[in-house]
Amino acid sequence: AQSVAQPEDQVNVAEGNPLTVKCTYSVSGNPYLFWYVQYPNRGLQFLLKYITGDNLVKGSYGFEAEFNKSQTSFHLKKPSALVSDSALYFCAVRDFYGGSQGNLIFGKGTKLSVKP
Amino acid sequence: SAVISQKPSRDICQRGTSLTIQCQVDSQVTMMFWYRQQPGQSLTLIATANQGSEATYESGFVIDKFPISRPNLTFSTLTVSNMSPEDSSIYLCSVDTSEYTGELFFGEGSRLTVL
């Protein structure tokens, strides 16, 4: 069965500093990996994804993530954090196995707090 | 991408009543999904709704409690039946616009509070 782990409930960063939000996964087949962001009282917004190709993927709002197959990780990063980046971040995985995609499974979420 | 509208955006309900949430998409999609996000929690998949067939429910969710309709390729409803305070959650509709791209697009959610 597929699963996603986000080991940190909260990440605190000063504005202008780099940020990392961690994610590890477990799947049976090939992983499709995603990051979503949720602002207060809003739905989920898609940030970026990895399906195949370059291990470093770039997404919206200056975010990027690095796929590491050996460590089964897909950490979200940004070189310089903004106060407006403060939100709840979800890592998610879909298992591509047997020629079809599985359901999208979410991690528990990490609250990012960026202070001025 | 897809634009997804959910109604109601929020509601306060009495214990024992039922509420139907509507999800409208601006394009035809094959697969629609309903998720639940309990307070302070992650998203849990309730069921997958495909047009022309019965919804497929995940473990822990049953049709009698969460009946789903999918009358066409742009619309779905989720009913939360016989509500209790434990059903207080955000319910999110999402769609898969392509079997090749992988990502889902989400509505703004329907925040239900059951008293």
Side-chain angles (χ1 to χ4, degrees), chain A residues 6 32 34 36 38 40-46 49 51 88 90-91 94 96 99 101-109, chain B residues 10 31 33 35 37 40-45 48 58 90 92 96 98-109 111:
Chain A
Q6 293 180 244
Y32 284 21
F34 307 87
Y36 286 83
Q38 186 178 37
N41 300 312
R42 303 294 300 276
L44 268 70
Q45 295 181 31
F46 168 73
K49 67 180 178 185
I51 293 179
L88 191 55
F90 290 97
C91 181
R94 287 184 95 167
F96 193 81
Q101 292 189 54
N103 292 322
L104 189 64
I105 304 300
F106 286 85
K108 65 178 182 176
Chain B
R10 59 178 62 229
M31 301 180 75
F33 306 86
Y35 282 83
Q37 186 179 20
Q41 303 293 317
S42 184
L43 283 79
T44 302
L45 181 62
T48 302
E58 297 300 304
I90 301 173
L92 295 114
D96 191 344
S98 169
E99 64 182 282
Y100 303 110
T101 60
E103 69 267 31
L104 301 187
F105 295 93
F106 286 81
E108 293 287 300
R111 182 183 294 270

Side-chain angles (χ1 to χ4, degrees), chain B residues 85-100:
Chain B
E86 292 71 35
D87 294 320
S88 297
S89 296
I90 301 173
Y91 293 86
L92 295 114
C93 171
S94 68
V95 303
D96 191 344
T97 59
S98 169
E99 64 182 282
Y100 303 110

Side-chain angles (χ1 to χ4, degrees), chain A residues 41-62:
Chain A
N41 300 312
R42 303 294 300 276
L44 268 70
Q45 295 181 31
F46 168 73
L47 273 181
L48 52 78
K49 67 180 178 185
Y50 171 84
I51 293 179
T52 188
D54 194 346
N55 289 345
L56 183 66
V57 294
K58 295 184 184 298
S60 307
Y61 312 121

